[in-house]
């Protein structure tokens, strides 16, 4: 009960953020209490840090890359192109925005998609004078696709990185399994969003109200470096994965290179047009503290009773067959993520799967179902993922507030069919590529 109480209070502080208290400080406070009361020991600190350090610094490096590209106008340039491809028809623009969000989420992680795409799309909708209902449809679509399209690569979600590192899944193997599953997830997301919002997006807009995409570019050197850098980074993931090179090292090198281009280090700063100070200060450094602190709190909860209980449940599911094991695991961790946040739920799921005595195929299905459930399941509630919390914060800063009731009405209706479609696709596909 003590471990549970510490977790609940820590989670409340993380979500509530009283007086602007950073999520990292709240998580560290919870970890300190867990250490002081003996819920976790000092030896657990090293264990947890070994689980989270690579994922955490990879995530920070990806966000640094995203913020620099955003400051250079890369994402605004892409969004303006997509708006022009819409041809003045909201019904054509809607799926294009969803697919743009899916691409950004895959490469720059779900938090990057939520942070960067939403304000850009809001600005374009304002310029095009979309009615409130239509603007809300596009906004919700941006927030929804950020998570549901974050399956394909290890780097697409912090959940993916933690799981791949925990079970030692190579980058290429992960992509071979999850890229097809992600395509199903994106397709299902597009379908359910269209069915829910089709009346709201049936609007016309004036193409002449859009500025030229080229006008959005604020730093030519960074913009020209974007596509080659991203291509090399993706190639490096596949090449270095089998060699055991930490993903954080590869991503960090790319972030340093882009930072150097943006700051024009080679020329003593001459020609630099971006203010790197605010960009780097805007990186999610709190996530480093959050990862260590929150995972320590959850590790203590797992040691107390949760890992054993979850492992027993997974063992029972495995006895019902691979379909029940896959779908059951996915929905179980999705439900857990929706009430405790997907980051702690990911660790609980990983520890439970590791402890469960199940056949090799079932175990592999479960570890990927853990990813699917923790990537998609958080859309049930506003507290399910950091990406959703960040997205709601961005919206509030732009004067667009979505209440918990309104959010959950959409989340509870749209998430289950997408989650089911992705899990069934995983169950069908994984045995074919073993």
């Amino acid at each position: 009960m003590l471990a549970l109480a510490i977790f609940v209070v820590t989670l409340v502080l993380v979500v509530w953020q009283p007086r602007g208290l950073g999520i990292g400080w709240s998580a560290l406070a919870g970890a300190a209490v867990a250490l002081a009361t003996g819920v976790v020991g000092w030896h657990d600190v090293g264990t947890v840090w070994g689980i989270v350090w690579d994922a955490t610094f990879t995530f920070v490096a990806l966000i640094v890359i995203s913020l620099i590209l955003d400051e250079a106008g890369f994402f605004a340039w892409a969004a303006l192109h997509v708006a022009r491809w819409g041809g003045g028809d909201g019904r054509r623009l809607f799926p294009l925005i969803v697919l743009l969000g899916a691409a950004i989420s895959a490469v720059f992680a779900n938090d990057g998609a939520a942070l960067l795409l939403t304000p850009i799309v809001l600005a374009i909708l304002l310029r095009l004078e979309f009615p409130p209902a239509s603007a809300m449809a596009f906004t919700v679509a941006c927030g929804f696709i950020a998570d549901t399209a974050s399956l394909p690569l290890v780097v697409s979600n912090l959940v993916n990185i933690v799981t791949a590192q925990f079970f030692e899944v190579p980058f290429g193997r992960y992509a071979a399994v999850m890229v097809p599953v992600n395509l199903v997830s994106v397709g299902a997301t597009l379908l359910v969003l269209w069915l829910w919002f089709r009346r709201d997006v049936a609007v016309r807009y004036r193409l002449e109200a859009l500025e030229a995409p080229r006008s959005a570019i604020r730093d030519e050197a960074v913009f020209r470096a974007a596509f080659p850098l991203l291509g090399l980074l993706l190639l490096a993931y596949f090449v270095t994965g089998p060699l055991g090179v930490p993903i954080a090292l590869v991503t960090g090198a790319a972030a340093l290179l882009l930072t150097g281009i943006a700051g024009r280090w080679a020329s003593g700063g001459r020609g630099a047009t971006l203010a790197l100070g605010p960009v780097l200060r805007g990186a999610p450094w709190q996530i480093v503290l959050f990862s260590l602190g929150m995972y320590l709190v959850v590790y203590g909860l797992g040691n107390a009773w949760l890992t054993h209980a979850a492992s027993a449940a997974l063992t029972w599911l495995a006895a019902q067959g691979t379909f029940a094991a896959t779908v059951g695991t996915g929905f179980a961790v999705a439900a857990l993520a929706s009430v405790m946040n997907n980051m702690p739920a990911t660790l609980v799921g990983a520890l439970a799967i590791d402890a469960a005595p199940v056949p090799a195929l079932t175990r592999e299905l479960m570890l990927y179902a853990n990813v699917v459930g923790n990537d998609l399941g958080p859309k049930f509630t506003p507290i399910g993922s950091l990406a959703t919390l960040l997205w709601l914060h961005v919206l509030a800063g732009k004067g667009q507030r979505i209440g918990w009731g309104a959010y959950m009405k959409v989340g509870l209706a749209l998430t289950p069919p997408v989650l089911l479609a992705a899990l069934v696709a995983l169950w069908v596909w994984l045995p074919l590529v073993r």
Side-chain angles (χ1 to χ4, degrees):
M1 292 303 295
L2 178 59
L4 180 60
I6 293 172
F7 170 77
V8 170
V9 172
T10 304
L11 182 61
V12 168
L13 289 176
V14 166
V15 174
W16 181 25
Q17 297 183 39
R19 297 182 180 274
L21 182 66
I23 61 173
W25 300 120
S26 298
L28 276 187
V33 174
L35 283 166
T37 56
V39 170
V40 292
W42 284 104
H43 61 281
D44 293 324
V45 176
T47 301
V48 170
W49 184 245
I51 295 172
V52 305
W53 77 267
D54 195 9
T56 300
F57 286 112
T58 298
F59 174 77
V60 171
L62 279 173
I63 295 299
V64 168
I65 293 172
S66 302
L67 291 173
I68 292 174
L69 291 179
D70 181 52
E71 191 69 17
F74 179 80
F75 297 108
W77 169 86
L80 285 169
H81 268 296
V82 167
R84 289 185 173 274
W85 295 342
D89 187 347
R91 290 168 297 186
R92 186 188 304 172
L93 178 63
F94 188 74
L96 290 174
I97 290 292
V98 171
L99 293 176
L100 175 63
I104 293 175
S105 182
V107 178
F108 299 99
N110 59 326
D111 297 87
L115 278 171
L116 303 173
L117 183 61
T118 300
I120 292 171
V121 169
L122 279 174
I124 290 176
L125 297 177
L126 181 64
R127 175 69 61 87
L128 296 175
E129 299 179 346
F130 270 52
S134 297
M136 184 58 66
F138 280 89
T139 302
V140 170
C142 289
F144 205 82
I145 196 65
D147 280 330
T148 60
S150 65
L151 295 170
L153 305 176
V154 170
V155 295
S156 301
N157 196 312
L158 197 52
V159 164
N160 310 358
I161 306 173
V162 169
T163 305
Q165 293 293 329
F166 188 92
F167 290 103
E168 299 180 346
V169 180
F171 192 93
R173 170 60 181 173
Y174 179 94
V177 173
M178 295 301 273
V179 166
V181 176
N182 188 70
L183 293 175
V184 172
S185 180
V186 171
T189 300
L190 189 54
L191 176 61
V192 298
L193 286 172
W194 177 257
L195 292 175
W196 190 270
F197 291 117
R198 64 188 183 280
R199 294 186 181 87
D200 295 326
V201 301
V203 294
R204 303 289 303 179
Y205 61 92
R206 297 180 300 111
L207 286 176
E208 58 271 19
L210 292 169
E211 60 265 38
R214 173 62 60 173
S215 66
I217 301 172
R218 296 192 289 270
D219 190 304
E220 284 284 348
V222 172
F223 178 81
R224 288 196 300 269
F227 286 110
L229 178 70
L230 295 175
L232 287 173
L233 180 58
L234 187 60
L235 178 62
Y237 286 142
F238 283 99
V239 172
T240 60
L243 303 177
V245 178
I247 297 176
L249 184 61
V250 178
T251 316
L256 285 174
L257 177 59
L258 191 62
T259 302
I261 295 171
R264 311 295 196 273
W265 288 347
S267 58
R270 292 190 300 273
T273 61
L274 301 183
L276 278 179
V279 172
L280 295 177
R281 285 193 297 272
W285 302 110
Q286 284 273 327
I287 199 69
V288 179
L289 306 179
F290 173 83
S291 293
L292 178 59
M294 197 66 181
Y295 271 53
L296 270 173
V297 172
V298 173
Y299 200 78
L301 186 61
N303 286 341
W305 59 273
L306 188 55
T307 298
H308 177 74
S311 179
L314 294 182
T315 302
W316 181 86
L317 280 172
Q320 313 310 308
T322 56
F323 181 82
T326 305
V327 176
T329 299
F331 272 90
V333 297
L336 193 63
S338 68
V339 296
M340 71 154 35
N341 190 268
N342 65 338
M343 292 312 302
T346 299
L347 182 59
V348 171
L351 292 171
I353 293 166
D354 191 49
V358 299
L361 173 59
T362 304
R363 173 187 166 90
E364 191 172 13
L365 284 166
M366 282 181 165
L367 80 86
Y368 285 110
N370 188 44
V371 171
V372 174
N374 279 300
D375 280 1
L376 275 61
K379 304 314 292 183
F380 283 126
T381 67
I383 67 170
S385 73
L386 287 176
T388 301
L389 292 172
L390 289 170
W391 175 71
L392 291 171
H393 179 72
V394 168
L395 288 180
K398 300 294 181 180
Q400 301 283 335
R401 295 189 178 276
I402 300 179
W404 280 38
Y407 176 91
M408 291 182 65
K409 178 183 177 182
V410 176
L412 291 172
L414 302 189
T415 304
V418 178
L419 179 58
L420 179 61
L423 289 169
V424 172
L426 170 64
W427 176 71
V428 171
W429 176 249
L430 189 142
L432 300 178
V433 291
R434 289 199 84 209

